[in-house]
Structures are given as structure tokens and as C-alpha cells.
Amino acid sequence: MIAINNLKKTFRTEEIETLVLNNVNLNVKQGEFVAIMGPSGCGKSTLLNIIGMLDTPTDGSYEFAGHEIQNLDQSERTQLRKGNLGFIFQSFNLIDELTVFENVELPLIYLNIKKDERKKRVREVLERMKIAHREKHFPQQLSGGQQQRVAISRAVVINPKLILADEPTGNLDSKNGVEVMDLLTELNQDDTTIIMVTHSDRDSHYAHRVINLFDGQIVTENINKKSVTHS
């Protein structure tokens, strides 16, 4: 699904040039669950943003689902992203003025899905994420754990091939964090590919593979022989 070769990312200002990613090589197969770890400032979120086509590399190649991303213009990247990628953020990124239902429905509107189909898909995913009883509430009326369930619902309602999660439990207590990781594991078991940036050793054990970044380079890669599952 993902093939990254000799990828570099440099941020430039008038006075300084900072190499954030340096010769990163990474392959991810359909259905994998990969965790990316490392200290703050090592390039984790930058790598995730490049994989999510929210940023572009300075050098090297990135291929997603057979598409060489450097060959696509901005509108082509947007189209590829809309139908294939779901994003989950530490800060939830919900729209305060929209209800739970409307937040989850939004990506389907962008995909021009008809109203009846939108309603069906939103209600199905809210039921699955056990948040349907809050569909008329606004984000600020929800707990952090509930907001993250809504964010996950919004990410998966388009049936994405890939979910990118940036510190998905970072703002949650341990109980809600475990529940969110269990939801991600369930989605992965349904063959959704997941790439997650995390500082949490506990969360990393849910993944099949753990990639460790340091100073913009992959320094180690570990296979979790038995990833965490909960009943």
C-alpha cells in the first residue's frame, strides 16, 4: 500500500535550514497496524503528514496505492486523500458548531454521497462506536473519550483504506485510552490499515510493528509477536 524511499524533508527559513526527515525508507502493507515512536521533534508528525498528503517531501519518493504522489498536483492529491484516508488527532478537531451527527456526516458531503445513504452510514458507524445516543449533542457537551469516539466515527465513515492517528489517546485518561485503542484494533481486524504516532509504550503494543525515529531517521524497527487484544 505504501512505499517510501530515501525520503527527506527540509524546512527552510531565511536564516536556517533544518533537516527534519533524512533518508527514511518505509513499506506498509494493506491490513498492517504500524506505530511510529520517538522523542518530540524527531519527525514523527511530519512523516505522518507526508503519508497523509498534507505535506510534501523535499526529496525521495512516496507511493500510495500505486500512485506516485510527487507526480500528482494538489487537486489530484485532495481527491486521492478524500476517498482513501481517515485522520484521527489528539485534539479531536471536531467542529463545535456542528452536532455529533453533522461532524460525522461532513466527509460524506464532501464525497457527494446522497442524503439517504449519508444518514444510513452515519447511524451505522455511530452505533458501532457506541456514541449514537449522543448524535444530537455538540462536541463541548461530550467527555474527551466521547469526542474521540466521534472523531474515529468521522474517520471511518468513508470506509478508508488507511487511518492515520496522531497521538489518539494523548488527551484521554487510561480507561478511555484503552477503549480507543480497542476500537482501532477492531477496525484493523476488519482489514483497515492503521499508522499511529504515539509516545505511549502501552499503545505501541497494539501495533504489529513499531518504528522508532530519532533525529529524522528510522533507527530501529520491532515486530510485536503478540499485539494486545482485549475482550
Side-chain angles (χ1 to χ4, degrees), residues 11 21 54 62 67-69 74 112-113 115 119 124 133 141 144 153 158-160 189 197 216 218 220 222 229:
F11 290 117
L21 294 172
L54 301 173
Y62 166 37
H67 299 272
E68 179 56 61
I69 301 307
Q74 190 59 49
N112 297 315
I113 304 295
K115 187 174 181 179
K119 284 186 176 181
E124 283 176 352
H133 61 296
Q141 296 174 300
S153 300
I158 63 169
N159 300 318
Q189 289 169 346
V197 161
I218 294 177
T220 61
N222 303 312
T229 57

Side-chain angles (χ1 to χ4, degrees), residues 153-173:
S153 300
R154 183 185 55 191
V156 304
V157 75
I158 63 169
N159 300 318
K161 292 188 173 82
L162 172 65
I163 287 178
L164 300 174
D166 195 352
E167 300 282 1
T169 68
N171 282 333
L172 304 178
D173 59 32

Side-chain angles (χ1 to χ4, degrees), residues 131-153:
I131 197 70
H133 61 296
R134 299 286 192 181
E135 70 168 46
K136 294 181 181 179
H137 288 69
F138 292 92
Q140 292 180 343
Q141 296 174 300
L142 306 178
S143 69
Q146 290 170 334
Q147 288 188 61
Q148 195 60 298
R149 284 175 181 270
V150 177
I152 294 172
S153 300

